[in-house]
Amino acid sequence: MKKRFTPLSTFLCAAVLFLFAGTVQAQNKNKDSIIENRCVQLLRDAEKTYEAGRINVIEDMLLPCIQSDGFSKFEKLQAYRLIILSKLFDNRDEEANRYFLELIKTDPEYQVNPVTDPSEFINLFNSYRTNPVYSLGFKVGMNSTKPNSFVPYGVYNTEENTGDYKGLLNVHFGFNADIYLNKKFSLGADALLSFKKYQYKNTLMDYSELTWKETQLWLELPVVLKYTMGQQKLRYYVQGGAAISMIMNAKANVTRKDINTQSNQAIGPDINTRDLRNMFNYSLVAGAGLRYKAGYGYIVLDAKYMYGLNNISDVHDKYSNADLVYKYGYVDNNFTLNSLMFSVGYYKSFYKPKKLPTHEK
């Protein structure tokens, strides 16, 4: 006769298994706690042993706890430091270098203490590249873009009236990469999608007011050289370089109103202006920023001014859109595009410690 499990027996079995699992977990925690407490005591004993001059036993005392993860990160760094000091004072430089690399891998941003650390340890630290090699991050921000007209065009007397441009706010976002050349200089590059917007107003024939609002989407690649100053936690930098931008899309909202009555004389849907624009924009870049240390990276506040160098208006297509010319009385001026950009972002630093050549120390 087959035995059947009743709901009560099933519940009792589950309860027993749960209690058993909890007991095993508690035993493991107690075991880990015992190991950690033993390792902490060993670290204290190793410090006293080192101070007593018995440097030849330091490695054997501490290495098992390092290998079994019996230390916290801070304790592990202290243990490596004691082993390295014992190797240095025993003239076993090769082993000291090997353990120093392990220390730096544990904490890539480890810093020596000039007050408490012996000169031999500081000299060893200074013989390695401990600065970040590069950083990667993202940024978002706002920009204000204003055209700079240098040759006016129109269906009116352009010598008397050229119209006015106004920069409007829009957003941008993207990624950043910095390559650190040394402690002061780095090479930074952005890959940004920038939405830009500006307004153009003009009075036509003394009776019509033309309003043109154009929105553009650019893929922008600024490359700058940065010079960084300041303390470890808060640093600031100045930057300069160049940028190339490629236009992805452009459209304009156009209206023409009677000056006296403000009634619409011409209005319609947004007009695709991508074909009126040259594909590339070349700019000079200057700016400054702040970096605040956060973990193994930085929170960054960045400001850039991009000064356009080339004409954005395609001179071959100025009169190609009949609606713009005859309906609205609009013809593109020759103009460059300048942008002021403010961004906030986070960059994570990456390290690759190595022994420096003698001339780089």
Side-chain angles (χ1 to χ4, degrees), residues 30-40 65 68-70:
N30 289 335
K31 183 179 178 181
D32 292 342
S33 178
I34 292 171
I35 292 174
E36 289 175 3
N37 290 335
R38 180 170 58 84
C39 287
V40 171
C65 284
S68 64
D69 292 328

Side-chain angles (χ1 to χ4, degrees), residues 166-180:
K166 178 183 177 181
L168 300 177
L169 291 177
N170 219 319
V171 299
H172 59 265
F173 60 90
F175 299 96
N176 169 271
D178 278 359
I179 297 175
Y180 298 98

Side-chain angles (χ1 to χ4, degrees), residues 267-292:
I267 191 170
D270 290 349
I271 296 173
N272 186 341
T273 55
R274 170 63 185 81
D275 292 338
L276 302 179
R277 304 286 165 252
N278 286 318
M279 179 175 290
F280 294 103
N281 183 31
Y282 305 95
S283 307
L284 295 178
V285 181
L290 293 173
R291 303 193 317 181
Y292 180 77

Side-chain angles (χ1 to χ4, degrees), residues 205-223:
M205 313 297 183
D206 295 327
Y207 64 87
S208 288
E209 181 182 71
L210 173 72
T211 302
W212 169 284
K213 291 183 180 180
E214 182 169 351
T215 303
Q216 303 170 341
L217 174 60
W218 292 86
L219 173 62
E220 302 195 288
L221 301 172
V223 178

